[in-house]
Amino acid sequence: MLCCATYPLIWIGGLITTTDAGMAVPDWPGTYGYNLWLYPWSTWFFGPWDLFVEHGHRLFASGVGLLTIGLVVVVFRCDRRAWLRWLALAALALVIWQGVLGGLRVVLNERLLGFAHGSTGPLFFALTAVIVALTARNDEPRPSGSDQAAPLWPWLLAGLIYLQIIAGAALRHVPEASSFNTFALHVQAHLWGALLVTLSVVAAAIVAWRWPVGRSPRVLASLMAAVLAVQVSLGVATWVAKYRLPAFAQTGVAADAWDAIAGAGTMAPSTAGGWTETYVVTGHSATGSLLLALAAAHAVVARRRTSTASNTELSSHRDEPSAASAGPA
Amino acid sequence: MPPPRPRRRHRLAALLCAAAGATGCGERADSFQPNGLLRATGGLTDEQSSSIDAALAELFGSPDEPRLPPELPRMAELCDLAALQQAAGPVASHEVGVTQGLYRRHCARCHGVTGDGRGPTARYQSPYPRDFRRGVFKWKSTYRDAPPTVADLDRVLEHGVPGTAMPSFRLLSEEEREILQQYVIYLAIRGQTERALVSLVADELPAGEPLRLEGDLRDEVMSESLAPIVAAWVDAESDVVSPPDSSEVDDRLIARGRDLYHSEKAGCFKCHGAAGQGGAVAGKDYEIDYDRWTRERVVARPSDAVAHLVRQDLPIRPSRPRQLIGATPHGGDATADLYRRVHQGIAGTTMPAVGGAYPGQPGSLTDEEVQSVVVYLQSINPKESPL
């Protein structure tokens, strides 16, 4: 439930960055002097879009914070597995830190804190995905020959995707006074990161389908590949929506391809804050977080499929096996 | 834990600096960027350059606190100080529904805090974002050398520029768009003033003498250099090119336009090709030239300082004659747009005017001939206007 609630929050956060609505409310933790929960709902609901989305983000985030507290309470009351308790505490610490970062970004009006806030959100989402993967029911028979050490590469893949998310967040939060060379550095880092992530996810999918890794890692690797395809498409669409075709693509094959797909002379101006630009760009940001969560879950599942010791440990301290599988995460 | 050794500390500091630089930390928006190339080309010393910065700050304030020169009262006809203050500064909101820092929120990422067309995203855009500092704008209804009208700026803001990264801001309120127009005019006049002051220091003051904008010199600069700049903006409405009433389009008119298009008199085919296919840099089927914003960076024998600044600047791109068939006209393809574009060319670019430079002056084509060329262009590219 926490994991499912976090993903819309990631979307709303991305929406705020896309529409630059982060400063629609000047104070924190309250909203225009009101307690967060007591702000007049009519002003929020029928007021300006910026206020609607920013205050909504705060309300949603506080709900996620409460769910995280609930996770900690349930885990400490119903489960004695030490690692799960630590993970729940880590989630609580991370969500508090994330809230403070968001608040400081507003109070100090500092865009770089927005960058830190935007980088921490996906990390929290991935952590909830890890908790889901670790506490999920695991009735699959382990494939033969899987008694080897847990592979490290799925974690490296998740780390690589997270670095790419950081590069993307840096790109989205470049200060207005930055030079075009700073921005170019971010663009190039993000493009090279995209290439590396693409190759790595494709390799993970190939491994999952060619070797007997089990059903769950295979499903997750396939999902990653599918999400990656969507993500790359959204990345291209994001660029075109915001900056249109770069110089090299305005003539030759790329221009002909555009004319063939969209029709000659159809490059109308985008609408700042319009539906296409807003949701394509936000979708690209949110899909990156989804890819990270899948990669983190994949790494957990791959470890469970190959590590006898961890499987034993996972099941040895549970009070009730079914309680963990239907756990709060 | 022992304290890190000095060398490690240096490495750590270097790493932190690199990380901070990579995220854009340290690049602040609290001052306007000087036009370094202009000053280097004029051979100004650092002291002279600083004196110009001080004069500009005194006249126009800073990106956080704009100001209007009291000696230029007509500027108030163009810019309201309260509006400029709402457009300036960092993005913030102190009242529900009222956004401060509108320019940084909507424009600075491409056009730069200074309005120099060198915002963070500029490098990857084609064409580059407009540099406001010359006061020269392409998509306008006025004569070539006149500034745009407020309505022209509003039109670009509301509809965007097709085929470029300039979006439509139609979702902003009219009031917010008006505030942005005023801030753009403010940045343009500030940039034109900078150019005038650099010219004054480079050409009229003794070598190495800094600018002291006071006394008679101040009065002279205000009345002879800056007041005409402001007056041109205020009076732009009287410089609008009026297309003739639309005459009936028939084959004869189209044929006349086609003949003119392919004639030496109009010379359209030389750049845009016999079939309107446009020019290509690689093919060199037209003379390579540069727009006005780029031309000052193409220097035959630059000094070291100028060469360094040119290297640091956006990559130089030659002007490429537009493809007329199947392309999205940046300035719109309504009849009046095309008429003005053929009549006056495109300000700041290599597209020349074939009409007169001011009302009543004869051009190389008559108004009727211009109209026939427009009709011919519409006949070879029949398309709904995106505007």
Side-chain angles (χ1 to χ4, degrees), chain A residues 42 52 97 101 150 155 159 173 203 210 220 237 240 263 276-277 329:
Chain A
S42 56
F52 175 72
W97 174 240
L101 277 177
W155 289 108
H173 290 86
R210 291 199 57 175
L220 283 170
V240 175
T276 308
E277 184 185 302

Side-chain angles (χ1 to χ4, degrees), chain B residues 199-218:
Chain B
S199 172
L200 170 76
V201 172
D203 300 337
E204 296 180 31
L205 294 188
E209 184 173 314
L211 175 69
R212 291 187 184 82
L213 205 56
E214 54 198 20
D216 291 345
L217 180 63
R218 186 181 181 99

Side-chain angles (χ1 to χ4, degrees), chain B residues 230-309:
Chain B
V230 175
W233 279 93
V234 174
D235 299 334
E237 292 289 349
S238 60
D239 286 323
V240 170
V241 175
S242 302
D245 295 335
S246 54
S247 56
E248 200 166 310
V249 175
D250 54 23
D251 290 345
R252 188 190 56 77
L253 196 63
I254 294 174
R256 190 180 180 198
R258 182 177 56 237
D259 291 345
L260 280 166
Y261 181 92
H262 294 93
S263 71
E264 288 290 334
K265 186 178 180 185
C268 312
F269 73 99
K270 290 179 185 171
C271 296
H272 295 289
Q277 76 274 22
V281 174
K284 287 189 182 176
D285 50 1
Y286 67 99
E287 189 180 347
I288 288 184
D289 206 345
Y290 303 91
D291 63 30
R292 207 165 159 188
W293 297 272
T294 307
R295 207 174 293 147
E296 66 187 359
R297 293 190 284 141
V298 185
V299 187
R301 278 187 291 277
S303 66
D304 289 346
V306 169
H308 174 73
L309 288 169

